[in-house]
């Protein structure tokens, strides 16, 4: 029975956990999450969700212990490079890149230090939780570094006298600045992704994965899209349509008792900026509404 369920690993608590749970929720996978439980069960789908540390997710997927995992590409890449270095066999697939967990892995040095290119870091001691990604980049540049491997608090390593530079996750850069550091080189861009172990050979599991991925596509597409409603003179329909080149064909409604005024509804594939709203207003549009879309299936 247990094997008749798809197992998905997500981060237990941290920067990916809220968005991962929200993604499952938006795909109508109802999970009764219980505090401190390793496995939670879905009430409406044959899916079990394992809540673990993000660093364990790539290994759980690659080793076939779970079928799918939601993890940052930074953590995935580090695990893959580590296993490659140890000549281990690796089998996994990225099924979908997601629109959360956006960050980058960068080199930071003290603000007052001069940076004249990557080779000025040659032979320095660098603190990081990502030694394999760093090594791959330094090898490519034909330079070397001394490793200070830390699993946390990397940003204080220089002040603590443990390292000359750091290689760490950056999102806004504020944490670097508040620690007296500057970002000098971005080495890896990352966001969350869904990975599968490639062992999903049973038709049953493949079907659930396909349903899940199709729903995610709908959720992501809906998040990027907007529903626009407005009223305008019928003679301006083409001018309005030209403002939305990436949209599907608009729906036009005749307003009762007003032959010359129509209501236009458009699904836009991109965010609507104030500039577009102002252009609509200049064309004479009234009652302009821009609404978020929850789900989309095409
Ligand atoms: P764990 O206890 O699970 O090991 P952690 O402390 O290693 O957690 P978090 O800080 O929660 O990890 O980050 C998890 C992942 O979220 C990172 O590996 C990265 O992919 C992504 N991430 C990092 N910083 C940000 C950010 N500021 N915004 C969004 N996502 C981020
Ligand atoms: Zn972690």
């Amino acid at each position: 029975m247990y094997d008749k369920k798809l197992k998905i690993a997500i981060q237990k608590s941290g920067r990916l956990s809220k968005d991962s749970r929200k993604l499952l929720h938006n795909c109508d996978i109802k999970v009764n999450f219980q505090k401190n439980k390793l496995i939670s069960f879905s009430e409406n789908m044959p899916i079990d969700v394992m809540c673990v540390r993000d660093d364990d997710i790539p290994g759980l997927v690659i080793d076939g212990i779970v079928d799918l995992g939601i993890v940052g590409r930074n953590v995935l890449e580090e695990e893959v490079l580590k296993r490659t270095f140890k000549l281990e066999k690796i089998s996994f697939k990225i099924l979908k890149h997601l629109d959360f967990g956006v960050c980058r892995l960068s080199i930071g040095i003290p603000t007052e230090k001069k940076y004249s290119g990557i080779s000025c870091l040659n032979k320095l001691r660098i603190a990081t939780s990502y030694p394999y990604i760093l090594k791959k980049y330094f090898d490519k540049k034909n330079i070397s570094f001394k490793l200070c491997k830390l699993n946390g608090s990397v940003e204080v390593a220089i002040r603590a006298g443990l390292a000359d530079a750091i290689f760490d996750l950056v999102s806004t850069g504020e944490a670097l600045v508040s620690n007296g550091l500057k970002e000098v080189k971005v080495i890896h861009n990352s966001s969350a992704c869904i990975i599968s172990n490639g062992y999903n050979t049973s038709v049953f599991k493949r079907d659930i994965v396909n349903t899940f991925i199709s729903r995610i596509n709908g959720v992501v597409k809906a998040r990027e899209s907007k529903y626009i409603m407005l009223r305008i003179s019928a003679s301006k329909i083409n001018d309005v349509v030209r403002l939305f080149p990436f949209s599907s064909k608009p729906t036009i409604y005749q307003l009762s008792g007003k032959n010359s005024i129509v209501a236009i509804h458009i699904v836009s594939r991109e965010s609507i900026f104030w500039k577009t709203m102002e252009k609509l207003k200049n064309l004479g549009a009234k009652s302009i509404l821009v609404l978020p879309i929850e789900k989309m299936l095409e």
Side-chain angles (χ1 to χ4, degrees):
M1 178 63 199
Y2 192 69
D3 224 32
K4 283 250 167 214
K5 287 189 174 183
L6 191 86
K7 295 180 232 28
I8 305 177
I10 64 171
Q11 191 188 23
K12 182 177 181 212
S13 93
R15 285 169 159 142
L16 298 178
S17 47
K18 200 167 141 222
D19 285 316
S20 303
R21 287 176 185 215
K22 201 163 103 192
L23 186 68
L24 296 178
H25 174 84
N26 287 343
C27 290
D28 285 346
I29 299 169
K30 294 200 176 83
V31 184
N32 187 8
F33 285 106
Q34 303 209 5
K35 225 176 159 204
N36 296 326
K37 276 234 167 147
L38 175 65
I39 299 178
S40 298
F41 309 103
S42 165
E43 299 160 12
N44 62 338
M45 301 266 283
I47 291 176
D48 289 344
V49 180
M50 251 177 120
C51 296
V52 294
R53 286 197 62 185
D54 69 338
D55 315 68
D56 293 333
I57 295 174
L60 287 169
V61 173
I62 292 169
D63 293 336
I65 295 159
V66 298
D67 302 290
L68 301 180
I70 300 178
V71 70
R73 283 205 310 274
N74 53 320
V75 170
L76 174 65
E77 169 86 352
E78 183 68 14
E79 183 68 23
V80 167
L81 290 175
K82 186 166 110 189
R83 287 183 181 228
T84 309
F85 186 76
K86 292 182 181 170
L87 302 175
E88 288 178 20
K89 208 171 142 241
I90 305 163
S91 165
F92 79 95
K93 249 193 309 195
I94 295 183
L95 296 184
K96 174 101 192 136
H97 293 282
L98 300 166
D99 56 358
F100 57 85
V102 178
C103 56
R104 55 193 186 272
L105 277 168
S106 294
I107 293 190
I109 61 170
T111 319
E112 68 281 3
K113 283 264 158 71
K114 225 179 115 217
Y115 179 76
S116 54
I118 198 74
S119 50
C120 76
L121 302 175
N122 195 18
K123 297 200 168 72
L124 294 189
R125 186 170 297 279
I126 304 182
T128 186
S129 315
Y130 299 88
Y132 288 95
I133 296 179
L134 186 62
K135 179 170 166 24
K136 184 180 170 191
Y137 184 79
F138 269 50
D139 282 354
K140 207 169 73 190
K141 297 285 172 192
N142 249 328
I143 49 176
S144 66
F145 66 97
K146 286 181 226 128
L147 174 66
C148 168
K149 171 83 166 51
L150 294 174
N151 289 324
S153 308
V154 173
E155 66 284 359
V156 298
I158 300 177
R159 231 184 319 143
L162 299 174
D164 308 298
I166 64 160
F167 175 55
D168 200 14
L169 283 177
V170 178
S171 48
T172 60
E174 272 171 40
L176 282 184
V177 173
S178 63
N179 280 291
L181 304 174
K182 61 181 175 189
E183 184 178 6
V184 291
K185 180 77 194 162
V186 178
I187 289 180
H188 183 90
N189 285 298
S190 183
S191 59
C193 62
I194 297 201
I195 50 173
S196 115
N197 59 23
Y199 305 134
N200 295 323
T201 41
S202 89
V203 176
F204 166 77
K205 283 192 176 179
R206 259 204 316 264
D207 278 352
I208 316 179
V209 172
N210 288 342
T211 305
F212 185 38
I213 297 297
S214 148
R215 288 187 187 181
I216 291 174
N217 285 335
V219 169
V220 173
K221 223 181 259 175
R223 261 206 293 257
E224 289 165 354
S225 306
K226 292 281 175 273
Y227 195 82
I228 304 145
M229 302 194 287
L230 57 97
R231 292 176 176 199
I232 199 162
S233 154
S235 63
K236 295 286 172 60
I237 293 174
N238 287 337
D239 295 322
V240 171
V241 172
R242 266 197 290 276
L243 288 178
F244 301 96
F246 302 112
S247 306
S248 50
K249 286 216 164 69
T251 311
I252 316 245
Y253 298 97
Q254 197 72 55
L255 294 184
S256 62
K258 286 187 179 174
N259 279 342
S260 59
I261 306 287
V262 292
I264 304 183
H265 291 197
I266 302 172
V267 174
S268 169
R269 293 271 177 258
E270 45 187 358
S271 292
I272 303 301
F273 297 104
W274 280 108
K275 229 181 194 160
T276 312
M277 304 271 285
E278 283 150 11
K279 281 183 187 163
L280 286 170
K281 195 155 180 277
N282 289 340
L283 285 172
K286 298 253 179 330
S287 312
I288 309 166
L289 289 180
V290 178
L291 308 169
I293 298 172
E294 198 180 286
K295 294 186 178 75
M296 198 187 263
L297 195 60
E298 289 172 315

